[in-house]
Amino acid sequence: MSAARPRLAAVVTTYFKYSHAQHIVDRFLYGYGWMGTHYWPPMDLVSLYVDQVGPGDLSRSRAQQFPSMRIYPSIAEALTCGGSKLAVDGVVVVGEHGDYPRNGKGQTQYPRWEFFQKIIQVFKDSGRSVPVFNDKHLSWNWDWAKQMVDTARQMGFAFMAGSSLPVTWRIPSVEMPLGTRLREALSIGYGGVDSYDFHGLETIQCMVERRQGGETGVKWLQAFRGEKFWDAMRAGLWSRRLMEAAMCRSHTLAPAREGFNDILPTDEDMRRMVGDPIAYHYEHVDETICTMILLNGAARDFHFGADAEHHRSSSQVYTPLVKDFNFAAEIVGRCEPLSTQMYLPMPDGRTTLADFFNPLVNNMEKMFLTGKPTYPVERTLLTTGLVAAGVESLYRGEVRMETPHLAINYQPAPETTFMRA
């Protein structure tokens, strides 16, 4: 780490209004609201690589406004600042949005793995490495995701990944006590496969990893969709009490009947409102049961259909979403479920700034300053694997997937990392 202000490089797929690159990179350039005041990160973003430049591109105007940040034509040049050796103290990778191929399973093949390999090559050529943050899940390919984590461990550099869900505000502001004895946990959100399912899984994992014994991994997963979802719900595969507790935390639950005060939907209401329900139902090695549910239609703010976030390029109009992910868990010895909402105020619904990116960027800063992750990358490795298993289960006709490769053991960060101000 440099003795002076740390210097950062950003490697992004595309950079347009409301893209993840804008939400993250802009905060390093312009600062952001933090603890009741405008805050300037104690580091400088000095170089940028943009893989796809479209009509709505913002990167060129940012480079004009911030001449201390240069745009480079390759990842290697961005990390070396046009020289021959690594010239930055940290790397931010945002492999989200843009026009990338989509395979037959419905996975968008964002080049996070390819970006990571080019970054590693610069590290090897330079004889040193620096901390790296990877936005969202690690890769659409499980083997690549595992290799990314293994490589970081072997080379000895700090590596973090994931989304804003674990670090944003919670309503109510509660944490799962360390060492909690859990029976079952569940999340309810909205969105599509290989996109918002990751958010729903991170909502669960950042809570359940704090249970007694820490994380032990997942031994199987089965996805349910459409009629099979309703059959599984009727059969009681997941707790109806937890489902209702999570739904009651939502601020955007669609009314089952206009003008009716109690909007909690009945089974009949849900079947009418939700056209394509999806669940990933899975069991941890220690027998904790979890279920991630996507209820498009009950979450009335989902404007685009299941795959919208990942078909949006810099040339397309982006009308922002109000996001809503809710959690509930059965705790041994507690009468009522523990439940909360991961609060994500998105423009133009509840805010103009998507402020839930503030704590995500702040956690990145802490890693770049200290060289130590604020939470374990194994969390994101596990949720990456769960997304891949869920996609595979759906692709194979909603079969049960045995997941011995997800026997991932780790301990959670002892300190809480979610936003409390």
Side-chain angles (χ1 to χ4, degrees), residues 20 95-102 106-110 112 136-137 192-199 304-313 316:
H20 279 217
E96 184 78 358
H97 304 300
D99 295 319
Y100 293 93
R102 195 171 175 86
Q107 295 169 297
T108 303
Q109 295 173 313
Y110 290 117
R112 297 166 188 153
K136 284 196 71 176
H137 47 310
V193 171
D194 190 48
S195 56
Y196 280 63
D197 49 0
F198 174 72
H199 293 316
F304 295 99
D307 303 324
E309 183 182 10
H310 298 276
H311 286 291
R312 199 180 296 127
S313 72
Q316 294 173 305

PDB file of all heavy atoms in Angstrom, residues 20 95-102 106-110 112 136-137 192-199 304-313 316:
ATOM      1  N   HIS A  20     -24.410   0.092 -12.660  1.00  0.00           N
ATOM      2  CA  HIS A  20     -23.614  -0.164 -11.463  1.00  0.00           C
ATOM      3  C   HIS A  20     -22.281   0.588 -11.522  1.00  0.00           C
ATOM      4  O   HIS A  20     -21.771   1.044 -10.500  1.00  0.00           O
ATOM      5  CB  HIS A  20     -23.373  -1.660 -11.292  1.00  0.00           C
ATOM      6  CG  HIS A  20     -24.516  -2.375 -10.669  1.00  0.00           C
ATOM      7  ND1 HIS A  20     -24.366  -3.418  -9.780  1.00  0.00           N
ATOM      8  CD2 HIS A  20     -25.853  -2.203 -10.789  1.00  0.00           C
ATOM      9  CE1 HIS A  20     -25.552  -3.854  -9.390  1.00  0.00           C
ATOM     10  NE2 HIS A  20     -26.462  -3.134  -9.999  1.00  0.00           N
ATOM     11  N   GLY A  95     -18.580  -5.773 -13.414  1.00  0.00           N
ATOM     12  CA  GLY A  95     -18.990  -6.524 -14.600  1.00  0.00           C
ATOM     13  C   GLY A  95     -20.499  -6.688 -14.634  1.00  0.00           C
ATOM     14  O   GLY A  95     -21.018  -7.799 -14.514  1.00  0.00           O
ATOM     15  N   GLU A  96     -21.209  -5.586 -14.807  1.00  0.00           N
ATOM     16  CA  GLU A  96     -22.676  -5.592 -14.747  1.00  0.00           C
ATOM     17  C   GLU A  96     -23.203  -4.627 -15.794  1.00  0.00           C
ATOM     18  O   GLU A  96     -22.660  -3.538 -15.974  1.00  0.00           O
ATOM     19  CB  GLU A  96     -23.133  -5.173 -13.349  1.00  0.00           C
ATOM     20  CG  GLU A  96     -24.616  -5.216 -13.116  1.00  0.00           C
ATOM     21  CD  GLU A  96     -25.146  -6.625 -12.863  1.00  0.00           C
ATOM     22  OE1 GLU A  96     -24.345  -7.575 -12.912  1.00  0.00           O
ATOM     23  OE2 GLU A  96     -26.351  -6.765 -12.630  1.00  0.00           O
ATOM     24  N   HIS A  97     -24.259  -5.018 -16.487  1.00  0.00           N
ATOM     25  CA  HIS A  97     -24.870  -4.262 -17.584  1.00  0.00           C
ATOM     26  C   HIS A  97     -24.012  -4.372 -18.854  1.00  0.00           C
ATOM     27  O   HIS A  97     -22.849  -4.756 -18.811  1.00  0.00           O
ATOM     28  CB  HIS A  97     -25.100  -2.794 -17.227  1.00  0.00           C
ATOM     29  CG  HIS A  97     -25.933  -2.593 -15.995  1.00  0.00           C
ATOM     30  ND1 HIS A  97     -27.223  -3.059 -15.886  1.00  0.00           N
ATOM     31  CD2 HIS A  97     -25.649  -1.989 -14.812  1.00  0.00           C
ATOM     32  CE1 HIS A  97     -27.695  -2.731 -14.692  1.00  0.00           C
ATOM     33  NE2 HIS A  97     -26.759  -2.092 -14.016  1.00  0.00           N
ATOM     34  N   GLY A  98     -24.615  -4.025 -19.959  1.00  0.00           N
ATOM     35  CA  GLY A  98     -23.943  -4.110 -21.249  1.00  0.00           C
ATOM     36  C   GLY A  98     -24.526  -5.223 -22.099  1.00  0.00           C
ATOM     37  O   GLY A  98     -25.376  -6.016 -21.649  1.00  0.00           O
ATOM     38  N   ASP A  99     -24.101  -5.292 -23.346  1.00  0.00           N
ATOM     39  CA  ASP A  99     -24.606  -6.269 -24.313  1.00  0.00           C
ATOM     40  C   ASP A  99     -23.661  -7.455 -24.377  1.00  0.00           C
ATOM     41  O   ASP A  99     -22.661  -7.440 -25.114  1.00  0.00           O
ATOM     42  CB  ASP A  99     -24.756  -5.621 -25.688  1.00  0.00           C
ATOM     43  CG  ASP A  99     -25.809  -4.526 -25.693  1.00  0.00           C
ATOM     44  OD1 ASP A  99     -26.859  -4.728 -25.054  1.00  0.00           O
ATOM     45  OD2 ASP A  99     -25.578  -3.469 -26.311  1.00  0.00           O
ATOM     46  N   TYR A 100     -23.968  -8.503 -23.615  1.00  0.00           N
ATOM     47  CA  TYR A 100     -23.150  -9.704 -23.562  1.00  0.00           C
ATOM     48  C   TYR A 100     -24.012 -10.918 -23.865  1.00  0.00           C
ATOM     49  O   TYR A 100     -25.239 -10.903 -23.651  1.00  0.00           O
ATOM     50  CB  TYR A 100     -22.480  -9.827 -22.183  1.00  0.00           C
ATOM     51  CG  TYR A 100     -21.463  -8.734 -21.957  1.00  0.00           C
ATOM     52  CD1 TYR A 100     -21.822  -7.550 -21.312  1.00  0.00           C
ATOM     53  CD2 TYR A 100     -20.162  -8.862 -22.435  1.00  0.00           C
ATOM     54  CE1 TYR A 100     -20.898  -6.528 -21.141  1.00  0.00           C
ATOM     55  CE2 TYR A 100     -19.235  -7.836 -22.258  1.00  0.00           C
ATOM     56  CZ  TYR A 100     -19.611  -6.683 -21.614  1.00  0.00           C
ATOM     57  OH  TYR A 100     -18.702  -5.675 -21.463  1.00  0.00           O
ATOM     58  N   PRO A 101     -23.407 -11.996 -24.364  1.00  0.00           N
ATOM     59  CA  PRO A 101     -24.207 -13.172 -24.760  1.00  0.00           C
ATOM     60  C   PRO A 101     -24.927 -13.812 -23.583  1.00  0.00           C
ATOM     61  O   PRO A 101     -24.486 -13.713 -22.434  1.00  0.00           O
ATOM     62  CB  PRO A 101     -23.171 -14.113 -25.374  1.00  0.00           C
ATOM     63  CG  PRO A 101     -21.850 -13.623 -24.907  1.00  0.00           C
ATOM     64  CD  PRO A 101     -21.977 -12.165 -24.649  1.00  0.00           C
ATOM     65  N   ARG A 102     -26.010 -14.479 -23.894  1.00  0.00           N
ATOM     66  CA  ARG A 102     -26.831 -15.167 -22.901  1.00  0.00           C
ATOM     67  C   ARG A 102     -26.946 -16.614 -23.331  1.00  0.00           C
ATOM     68  O   ARG A 102     -27.331 -16.901 -24.467  1.00  0.00           O
ATOM     69  CB  ARG A 102     -28.206 -14.488 -22.841  1.00  0.00           C
ATOM     70  CG  ARG A 102     -29.057 -14.824 -21.638  1.00  0.00           C
ATOM     71  CD  ARG A 102     -30.275 -13.889 -21.638  1.00  0.00           C
ATOM     72  NE  ARG A 102     -31.218 -14.184 -20.597  1.00  0.00           N
ATOM     73  CZ  ARG A 102     -31.153 -13.715 -19.349  1.00  0.00           C
ATOM     74  NH1 ARG A 102     -30.158 -12.923 -19.006  1.00  0.00           N
ATOM     75  NH2 ARG A 102     -32.073 -14.018 -18.456  1.00  0.00           N
ATOM     76  N   GLY A 106     -30.123 -19.250 -19.583  1.00  0.00           N
ATOM     77  CA  GLY A 106     -30.577 -17.928 -19.154  1.00  0.00           C
ATOM     78  C   GLY A 106     -29.537 -17.134 -18.403  1.00  0.00           C
ATOM     79  O   GLY A 106     -29.860 -16.125 -17.776  1.00  0.00           O
ATOM     80  N   GLN A 107     -28.273 -17.539 -18.478  1.00  0.00           N
ATOM     81  CA  GLN A 107     -27.203 -16.836 -17.774  1.00  0.00           C
ATOM     82  C   GLN A 107     -26.534 -15.816 -18.696  1.00  0.00           C
ATOM     83  O   GLN A 107     -26.107 -16.171 -19.809  1.00  0.00           O
ATOM     84  CB  GLN A 107     -26.145 -17.827 -17.279  1.00  0.00           C
ATOM     85  CG  GLN A 107     -26.653 -18.805 -16.230  1.00  0.00           C
ATOM     86  CD  GLN A 107     -25.650 -19.911 -15.994  1.00  0.00           C
ATOM     87  OE1 GLN A 107     -25.345 -20.690 -16.888  1.00  0.00           O
ATOM     88  NE2 GLN A 107     -25.128 -19.980 -14.776  1.00  0.00           N
ATOM     89  N   THR A 108     -26.455 -14.585 -18.246  1.00  0.00           N
ATOM     90  CA  THR A 108     -25.720 -13.573 -18.994  1.00  0.00           C
ATOM     91  C   THR A 108     -24.237 -13.760 -18.715  1.00  0.00           C
ATOM     92  O   THR A 108     -23.802 -13.789 -17.566  1.00  0.00           O
ATOM     93  CB  THR A 108     -26.159 -12.164 -18.585  1.00  0.00           C
ATOM     94  OG1 THR A 108     -27.568 -12.042 -18.787  1.00  0.00           O
ATOM     95  CG2 THR A 108     -25.444 -11.111 -19.432  1.00  0.00           C
ATOM     96  N   GLN A 109     -23.454 -13.872 -19.783  1.00  0.00           N
ATOM     97  CA  GLN A 109     -22.044 -14.235 -19.636  1.00  0.00           C
ATOM     98  C   GLN A 109     -21.176 -12.978 -19.499  1.00  0.00           C
ATOM     99  O   GLN A 109     -20.323 -12.685 -20.335  1.00  0.00           O
ATOM    100  CB  GLN A 109     -21.630 -15.104 -20.820  1.00  0.00           C
ATOM    101  CG  GLN A 109     -22.383 -16.432 -20.821  1.00  0.00           C
ATOM    102  CD  GLN A 109     -22.123 -17.265 -22.066  1.00  0.00           C
ATOM    103  OE1 GLN A 109     -22.167 -16.765 -23.184  1.00  0.00           O
ATOM    104  NE2 GLN A 109     -21.844 -18.540 -21.871  1.00  0.00           N
ATOM    105  N   TYR A 110     -21.404 -12.284 -18.390  1.00  0.00           N
ATOM    106  CA  TYR A 110     -20.573 -11.114 -18.106  1.00  0.00           C
ATOM    107  C   TYR A 110     -19.120 -11.546 -17.936  1.00  0.00           C
ATOM    108  O   TYR A 110     -18.841 -12.592 -17.333  1.00  0.00           O
ATOM    109  CB  TYR A 110     -21.054 -10.420 -16.835  1.00  0.00           C
ATOM    110  CG  TYR A 110     -22.378  -9.720 -16.988  1.00  0.00           C
ATOM    111  CD1 TYR A 110     -23.494 -10.115 -16.250  1.00  0.00           C
ATOM    112  CD2 TYR A 110     -22.522  -8.657 -17.875  1.00  0.00           C
ATOM    113  CE1 TYR A 110     -24.717  -9.470 -16.390  1.00  0.00           C
ATOM    114  CE2 TYR A 110     -23.734  -8.005 -18.021  1.00  0.00           C
ATOM    115  CZ  TYR A 110     -24.821  -8.416 -17.282  1.00  0.00           C
ATOM    116  OH  TYR A 110     -26.025  -7.775 -17.430  1.00  0.00           O
ATOM    117  N   ARG A 112     -16.615 -11.179 -16.013  1.00  0.00           N
ATOM    118  CA  ARG A 112     -15.909 -10.939 -14.747  1.00  0.00           C
ATOM    119  C   ARG A 112     -14.675 -11.829 -14.627  1.00  0.00           C
ATOM    120  O   ARG A 112     -13.628 -11.389 -14.142  1.00  0.00           O
ATOM    121  CB  ARG A 112     -16.870 -11.161 -13.573  1.00  0.00           C
ATOM    122  CG  ARG A 112     -18.045 -10.195 -13.573  1.00  0.00           C
ATOM    123  CD  ARG A 112     -19.140 -10.626 -12.625  1.00  0.00           C
ATOM    124  NE  ARG A 112     -20.323  -9.787 -12.783  1.00  0.00           N
ATOM    125  CZ  ARG A 112     -21.557 -10.176 -12.507  1.00  0.00           C
ATOM    126  NH1 ARG A 112     -21.776 -11.395 -12.046  1.00  0.00           N
ATOM    127  NH2 ARG A 112     -22.568  -9.360 -12.680  1.00  0.00           N
ATOM    128  N   LYS A 136     -21.181  -7.744  -7.324  1.00  0.00           N
ATOM    129  CA  LYS A 136     -22.166  -8.841  -7.461  1.00  0.00           C
ATOM    130  C   LYS A 136     -21.495 -10.216  -7.423  1.00  0.00           C
ATOM    131  O   LYS A 136     -20.432 -10.391  -6.821  1.00  0.00           O
ATOM    132  CB  LYS A 136     -23.044  -8.641  -8.691  1.00  0.00           C
ATOM    133  CG  LYS A 136     -24.110  -7.553  -8.476  1.00  0.00           C
ATOM    134  CD  LYS A 136     -25.215  -7.605  -9.506  1.00  0.00           C
ATOM    135  CE  LYS A 136     -26.127  -8.796  -9.345  1.00  0.00           C
ATOM    136  NZ  LYS A 136     -27.249  -8.771 -10.295  1.00  0.00           N
ATOM    137  N   HIS A 137     -22.150 -11.229  -8.057  1.00  0.00           N
ATOM    138  CA  HIS A 137     -21.583 -12.570  -7.933  1.00  0.00           C
ATOM    139  C   HIS A 137     -20.335 -12.690  -8.805  1.00  0.00           C
ATOM    140  O   HIS A 137     -20.083 -11.893  -9.704  1.00  0.00           O
ATOM    141  CB  HIS A 137     -22.592 -13.672  -8.196  1.00  0.00           C
ATOM    142  CG  HIS A 137     -23.454 -13.547  -9.411  1.00  0.00           C
ATOM    143  ND1 HIS A 137     -24.153 -12.419  -9.733  1.00  0.00           N
ATOM    144  CD2 HIS A 137     -23.759 -14.455 -10.380  1.00  0.00           C
ATOM    145  CE1 HIS A 137     -24.853 -12.612 -10.832  1.00  0.00           C
ATOM    146  NE2 HIS A 137     -24.620 -13.833 -11.254  1.00  0.00           N
ATOM    147  N   GLY A 192     -35.522 -11.703 -11.756  1.00  0.00           N
ATOM    148  CA  GLY A 192     -35.313 -12.829 -12.649  1.00  0.00           C
ATOM    149  C   GLY A 192     -34.198 -13.750 -12.229  1.00  0.00           C
ATOM    150  O   GLY A 192     -33.455 -13.503 -11.279  1.00  0.00           O
ATOM    151  N   VAL A 193     -34.074 -14.818 -12.990  1.00  0.00           N
ATOM    152  CA  VAL A 193     -33.059 -15.851 -12.786  1.00  0.00           C
ATOM    153  C   VAL A 193     -31.703 -15.328 -13.241  1.00  0.00           C
ATOM    154  O   VAL A 193     -31.599 -14.604 -14.232  1.00  0.00           O
ATOM    155  CB  VAL A 193     -33.461 -17.119 -13.576  1.00  0.00           C
ATOM    156  CG1 VAL A 193     -32.340 -18.137 -13.585  1.00  0.00           C
ATOM    157  CG2 VAL A 193     -34.740 -17.711 -12.991  1.00  0.00           C
ATOM    158  N   ASP A 194     -30.660 -15.692 -12.495  1.00  0.00           N
ATOM    159  CA  ASP A 194     -29.299 -15.245 -12.757  1.00  0.00           C
ATOM    160  C   ASP A 194     -29.173 -13.731 -12.653  1.00  0.00           C
ATOM    161  O   ASP A 194     -28.351 -13.119 -13.316  1.00  0.00           O
ATOM    162  CB  ASP A 194     -28.812 -15.719 -14.139  1.00  0.00           C
ATOM    163  CG  ASP A 194     -27.317 -15.470 -14.347  1.00  0.00           C
ATOM    164  OD1 ASP A 194     -26.542 -15.818 -13.445  1.00  0.00           O
ATOM    165  OD2 ASP A 194     -26.944 -14.915 -15.398  1.00  0.00           O
ATOM    166  N   SER A 195     -30.003 -13.125 -11.837  1.00  0.00           N
ATOM    167  CA  SER A 195     -29.909 -11.679 -11.623  1.00  0.00           C
ATOM    168  C   SER A 195     -30.352 -11.368 -10.202  1.00  0.00           C
ATOM    169  O   SER A 195     -29.545 -11.318  -9.284  1.00  0.00           O
ATOM    170  CB  SER A 195     -30.730 -10.918 -12.662  1.00  0.00           C
ATOM    171  OG  SER A 195     -32.079 -11.329 -12.658  1.00  0.00           O
ATOM    172  N   TYR A 196     -31.668 -11.211 -10.009  1.00  0.00           N
ATOM    173  CA  TYR A 196     -32.174 -10.846  -8.691  1.00  0.00           C
ATOM    174  C   TYR A 196     -32.248 -12.041  -7.742  1.00  0.00           C
ATOM    175  O   TYR A 196     -32.368 -11.870  -6.535  1.00  0.00           O
ATOM    176  CB  TYR A 196     -33.528 -10.163  -8.825  1.00  0.00           C
ATOM    177  CG  TYR A 196     -33.412  -8.704  -9.211  1.00  0.00           C
ATOM    178  CD1 TYR A 196     -32.863  -8.314 -10.424  1.00  0.00           C
ATOM    179  CD2 TYR A 196     -33.822  -7.700  -8.336  1.00  0.00           C
ATOM    180  CE1 TYR A 196     -32.743  -6.986 -10.773  1.00  0.00           C
ATOM    181  CE2 TYR A 196     -33.711  -6.367  -8.681  1.00  0.00           C
ATOM    182  CZ  TYR A 196     -33.167  -6.011  -9.896  1.00  0.00           C
ATOM    183  OH  TYR A 196     -33.036  -4.693 -10.231  1.00  0.00           O
ATOM    184  N   ASP A 197     -32.166 -13.262  -8.269  1.00  0.00           N
ATOM    185  CA  ASP A 197     -32.063 -14.416  -7.380  1.00  0.00           C
ATOM    186  C   ASP A 197     -30.817 -14.300  -6.509  1.00  0.00           C
ATOM    187  O   ASP A 197     -30.816 -14.682  -5.341  1.00  0.00           O
ATOM    188  CB  ASP A 197     -32.076 -15.738  -8.150  1.00  0.00           C
ATOM    189  CG  ASP A 197     -31.116 -15.780  -9.334  1.00  0.00           C
ATOM    190  OD1 ASP A 197     -30.413 -14.784  -9.593  1.00  0.00           O
ATOM    191  OD2 ASP A 197     -31.084 -16.819 -10.028  1.00  0.00           O
ATOM    192  N   PHE A 198     -29.735 -13.734  -7.078  1.00  0.00           N
ATOM    193  CA  PHE A 198     -28.520 -13.514  -6.288  1.00  0.00           C
ATOM    194  C   PHE A 198     -28.779 -12.593  -5.105  1.00  0.00           C
ATOM    195  O   PHE A 198     -28.317 -12.838  -3.989  1.00  0.00           O
ATOM    196  CB  PHE A 198     -27.428 -12.932  -7.184  1.00  0.00           C
ATOM    197  CG  PHE A 198     -26.183 -12.537  -6.440  1.00  0.00           C
ATOM    198  CD1 PHE A 198     -25.323 -13.490  -5.933  1.00  0.00           C
ATOM    199  CD2 PHE A 198     -25.878 -11.194  -6.237  1.00  0.00           C
ATOM    200  CE1 PHE A 198     -24.174 -13.124  -5.233  1.00  0.00           C
ATOM    201  CE2 PHE A 198     -24.734 -10.815  -5.548  1.00  0.00           C
ATOM    202  CZ  PHE A 198     -23.880 -11.786  -5.046  1.00  0.00           C
ATOM    203  N   HIS A 199     -29.555 -11.527  -5.326  1.00  0.00           N
ATOM    204  CA  HIS A 199     -29.883 -10.609  -4.236  1.00  0.00           C
ATOM    205  C   HIS A 199     -30.683 -11.325  -3.142  1.00  0.00           C
ATOM    206  O   HIS A 199     -30.460 -11.110  -1.948  1.00  0.00           O
ATOM    207  CB  HIS A 199     -30.682  -9.422  -4.757  1.00  0.00           C
ATOM    208  CG  HIS A 199     -29.907  -8.530  -5.670  1.00  0.00           C
ATOM    209  ND1 HIS A 199     -28.617  -8.133  -5.419  1.00  0.00           N
ATOM    210  CD2 HIS A 199     -30.256  -7.940  -6.845  1.00  0.00           C
ATOM    211  CE1 HIS A 199     -28.196  -7.346  -6.384  1.00  0.00           C
ATOM    212  NE2 HIS A 199     -29.170  -7.205  -7.269  1.00  0.00           N
ATOM    213  N   PHE A 304     -40.062  -4.273 -15.408  1.00  0.00           N
ATOM    214  CA  PHE A 304     -39.519  -4.680 -16.693  1.00  0.00           C
ATOM    215  C   PHE A 304     -39.737  -6.140 -17.058  1.00  0.00           C
ATOM    216  O   PHE A 304     -39.430  -6.547 -18.163  1.00  0.00           O
ATOM    217  CB  PHE A 304     -38.002  -4.439 -16.702  1.00  0.00           C
ATOM    218  CG  PHE A 304     -37.642  -3.002 -16.604  1.00  0.00           C
ATOM    219  CD1 PHE A 304     -37.274  -2.464 -15.385  1.00  0.00           C
ATOM    220  CD2 PHE A 304     -37.685  -2.184 -17.707  1.00  0.00           C
ATOM    221  CE1 PHE A 304     -36.939  -1.127 -15.277  1.00  0.00           C
ATOM    222  CE2 PHE A 304     -37.342  -0.848 -17.599  1.00  0.00           C
ATOM    223  CZ  PHE A 304     -36.972  -0.321 -16.391  1.00  0.00           C
ATOM    224  N   GLY A 305     -40.202  -6.989 -16.165  1.00  0.00           N
ATOM    225  CA  GLY A 305     -40.208  -8.415 -16.442  1.00  0.00           C
ATOM    226  C   GLY A 305     -38.937  -9.037 -15.885  1.00  0.00           C
ATOM    227  O   GLY A 305     -37.996  -8.373 -15.494  1.00  0.00           O
ATOM    228  N   ALA A 306     -38.904 -10.363 -15.871  1.00  0.00           N
ATOM    229  CA  ALA A 306     -37.913 -11.089 -15.092  1.00  0.00           C
ATOM    230  C   ALA A 306     -36.473 -10.818 -15.491  1.00  0.00           C
ATOM    231  O   ALA A 306     -35.583 -10.870 -14.663  1.00  0.00           O
ATOM    232  CB  ALA A 306     -38.200 -12.587 -15.184  1.00  0.00           C
ATOM    233  N   ASP A 307     -36.189 -10.528 -16.762  1.00  0.00           N
ATOM    234  CA  ASP A 307     -34.798 -10.461 -17.187  1.00  0.00           C
ATOM    235  C   ASP A 307     -34.335  -9.049 -17.492  1.00  0.00           C
ATOM    236  O   ASP A 307     -33.294  -8.844 -18.093  1.00  0.00           O
ATOM    237  CB  ASP A 307     -34.602 -11.317 -18.453  1.00  0.00           C
ATOM    238  CG  ASP A 307     -35.015 -12.756 -18.220  1.00  0.00           C
ATOM    239  OD1 ASP A 307     -34.787 -13.234 -17.096  1.00  0.00           O
ATOM    240  OD2 ASP A 307     -35.553 -13.378 -19.137  1.00  0.00           O
ATOM    241  N   ALA A 308     -35.101  -8.046 -17.052  1.00  0.00           N
ATOM    242  CA  ALA A 308     -34.882  -6.697 -17.552  1.00  0.00           C
ATOM    243  C   ALA A 308     -33.508  -6.147 -17.232  1.00  0.00           C
ATOM    244  O   ALA A 308     -32.874  -5.538 -18.073  1.00  0.00           O
ATOM    245  CB  ALA A 308     -35.939  -5.768 -16.973  1.00  0.00           C
ATOM    246  N   GLU A 309     -33.034  -6.353 -15.997  1.00  0.00           N
ATOM    247  CA  GLU A 309     -31.780  -5.720 -15.604  1.00  0.00           C
ATOM    248  C   GLU A 309     -30.644  -6.142 -16.519  1.00  0.00           C
ATOM    249  O   GLU A 309     -29.715  -5.390 -16.781  1.00  0.00           O
ATOM    250  CB  GLU A 309     -31.427  -6.075 -14.155  1.00  0.00           C
ATOM    251  CG  GLU A 309     -30.159  -5.384 -13.688  1.00  0.00           C
ATOM    252  CD  GLU A 309     -29.779  -5.771 -12.280  1.00  0.00           C
ATOM    253  OE1 GLU A 309     -30.369  -6.690 -11.720  1.00  0.00           O
ATOM    254  OE2 GLU A 309     -28.870  -5.119 -11.752  1.00  0.00           O
ATOM    255  N   HIS A 310     -30.722  -7.336 -17.057  1.00  0.00           N
ATOM    256  CA  HIS A 310     -29.586  -7.881 -17.781  1.00  0.00           C
ATOM    257  C   HIS A 310     -29.750  -7.816 -19.289  1.00  0.00           C
ATOM    258  O   HIS A 310     -28.964  -8.372 -20.019  1.00  0.00           O
ATOM    259  CB  HIS A 310     -29.314  -9.294 -17.291  1.00  0.00           C
ATOM    260  CG  HIS A 310     -28.962  -9.271 -15.841  1.00  0.00           C
ATOM    261  ND1 HIS A 310     -27.690  -9.029 -15.401  1.00  0.00           N
ATOM    262  CD2 HIS A 310     -29.738  -9.346 -14.727  1.00  0.00           C
ATOM    263  CE1 HIS A 310     -27.682  -9.004 -14.074  1.00  0.00           C
ATOM    264  NE2 HIS A 310     -28.898  -9.190 -13.658  1.00  0.00           N
ATOM    265  N   HIS A 311     -30.770  -7.107 -19.761  1.00  0.00           N
ATOM    266  CA  HIS A 311     -30.885  -6.819 -21.183  1.00  0.00           C
ATOM    267  C   HIS A 311     -30.781  -5.328 -21.425  1.00  0.00           C
ATOM    268  O   HIS A 311     -31.064  -4.854 -22.507  1.00  0.00           O
ATOM    269  CB  HIS A 311     -32.223  -7.328 -21.720  1.00  0.00           C
ATOM    270  CG  HIS A 311     -32.260  -8.810 -21.850  1.00  0.00           C
ATOM    271  ND1 HIS A 311     -31.509  -9.487 -22.780  1.00  0.00           N
ATOM    272  CD2 HIS A 311     -32.929  -9.755 -21.158  1.00  0.00           C
ATOM    273  CE1 HIS A 311     -31.734 -10.795 -22.671  1.00  0.00           C
ATOM    274  NE2 HIS A 311     -32.584 -10.967 -21.693  1.00  0.00           N
ATOM    275  N   ARG A 312     -30.339  -4.593 -20.409  1.00  0.00           N
ATOM    276  CA  ARG A 312     -30.309  -3.153 -20.488  1.00  0.00           C
ATOM    277  C   ARG A 312     -28.897  -2.699 -20.817  1.00  0.00           C
ATOM    278  O   ARG A 312     -27.959  -2.994 -20.107  1.00  0.00           O
ATOM    279  CB  ARG A 312     -30.746  -2.582 -19.132  1.00  0.00           C
ATOM    280  CG  ARG A 312     -31.185  -1.164 -19.173  1.00  0.00           C
ATOM    281  CD  ARG A 312     -31.587  -0.735 -17.785  1.00  0.00           C
ATOM    282  NE  ARG A 312     -32.727  -1.475 -17.318  1.00  0.00           N
ATOM    283  CZ  ARG A 312     -32.743  -2.120 -16.168  1.00  0.00           C
ATOM    284  NH1 ARG A 312     -31.703  -2.129 -15.402  1.00  0.00           N
ATOM    285  NH2 ARG A 312     -33.818  -2.758 -15.792  1.00  0.00           N
ATOM    286  N   SER A 313     -28.728  -2.035 -21.930  1.00  0.00           N
ATOM    287  CA  SER A 313     -27.409  -1.548 -22.319  1.00  0.00           C
ATOM    288  C   SER A 313     -27.370  -0.034 -22.199  1.00  0.00           C
ATOM    289  O   SER A 313     -28.362   0.613 -21.874  1.00  0.00           O
ATOM    290  CB  SER A 313     -27.100  -1.960 -23.757  1.00  0.00           C
ATOM    291  OG  SER A 313     -27.893  -1.209 -24.658  1.00  0.00           O
ATOM    292  N   GLN A 316     -30.106   1.958 -24.029  1.00  0.00           N
ATOM    293  CA  GLN A 316     -31.504   1.774 -23.691  1.00  0.00           C
ATOM    294  C   GLN A 316     -31.929   2.727 -22.583  1.00  0.00           C
ATOM    295  O   GLN A 316     -31.122   3.137 -21.754  1.00  0.00           O
ATOM    296  CB  GLN A 316     -31.766   0.330 -23.245  1.00  0.00           C
ATOM    297  CG  GLN A 316     -31.564  -0.674 -24.385  1.00  0.00           C
ATOM    298  CD  GLN A 316     -31.667  -2.092 -23.866  1.00  0.00           C
ATOM    299  OE1 GLN A 316     -30.978  -2.486 -22.946  1.00  0.00           O
ATOM    300  NE2 GLN A 316     -32.539  -2.866 -24.477  1.00  0.00           N
TER     301      GLN A 316
END
